[in-house]
Amino acid sequence: MKLAQVVLFAVATLLALPAAAQTASDMQILAQKIKADKKLVVAANMQLTEAEAKGFWPVYDAYQKDLQGINKRLVGAIKSYAAAYNKGPVSDETAKKLINEAIAIEEAEVKLKRSYVPKLEKVVPGMKVARYIQIENKIRAIGKYELAANIPLVN
């Protein structure tokens, strides 16, 4: 299966979590499946040697753990926007707060990537660092596209 197909499936599953999951444990199971699927996509596309894999996967796991904080922040911002949007026209003050948070989240994601590049460079060659960042960017881009397609413009 191609990278885009697997990632699209994972993102679609993630976006369907609220509708598909009836309990917190169901949501946890689905979230674990998505993480496992993402890891399979990364593994299939990184072409790591045994020695590289030994160093890469702990860094990958740490990055994913740190990325969870950014994802939680993003979910919080989306929930805040939804609450404001559902109340009627969004005030200028609320819109300003929301856009500042959205930009801060993007900045945090860039800062996180920057902080992990040196860690990755210690365990895999530069070309594979670039490949991993590309894979992460593609996965995130698909998720952001799906969010953008489903989040209405502010009114």
Side-chain angles (χ1 to χ4, degrees):
M1 190 177 271
K2 291 184 178 178
L3 171 66
Q5 291 171 320
V6 173
V7 171
L8 188 57
F9 172 75
V11 170
T13 304
L14 177 64
L15 293 173
L17 279 178
Q22 298 300 315
T23 67
S25 64
D26 289 342
M27 289 180 72
Q28 287 177 331
I29 291 167
L30 286 172
Q32 289 170 352
K33 171 121 176 68
I34 290 165
K35 285 179 191 177
D37 289 346
K38 181 180 178 184
K39 199 167 190 173
L40 286 173
V41 168
V42 172
N45 286 279
M46 285 299 293
Q47 301 170 350
L48 298 169
T49 66
E50 269 188 57
E52 290 169 344
K54 197 176 209 180
F56 175 81
W57 291 115
V59 177
Y60 170 88
D61 290 336
Y63 180 78
Q64 296 306 307
K65 185 177 179 186
D66 289 345
L67 194 57
Q68 283 179 347
I70 291 171
N71 291 338
K72 285 179 184 176
R73 230 175 128 182
L74 180 60
V75 167
I78 292 168
K79 285 180 179 179
S80 294
Y81 174 66
Y85 182 88
N86 289 331
K87 289 180 183 174
V90 177
S91 72
D92 287 341
E93 182 181 329
T94 299
K96 189 175 182 178
K97 286 179 185 176
L98 290 168
I99 195 64
N100 284 337
E101 177 63 4
I103 291 169
I105 291 167
E106 288 182 23
E107 288 171 340
E109 188 174 343
V110 169
K111 185 178 177 183
L112 180 65
K113 280 183 206 173
R114 279 194 198 283
S115 74
Y116 271 86
V117 166
K119 296 173 186 179
L120 289 163
E121 288 174 333
K122 289 179 182 176
V123 296
V124 294
M127 181 276 298
K128 290 187 180 180
V129 172
R131 179 180 288 169
Y132 174 63
I133 296 299
Q134 283 181 311
I135 293 166
E136 280 290 338
N137 286 343
K138 287 178 185 228
I139 292 168
R140 304 264 319 151
I142 291 168
K144 288 177 183 180
Y145 173 81
E146 289 294 322
L147 287 173
N150 291 295
I151 296 175
L153 294 174
V154 68
N155 64 359

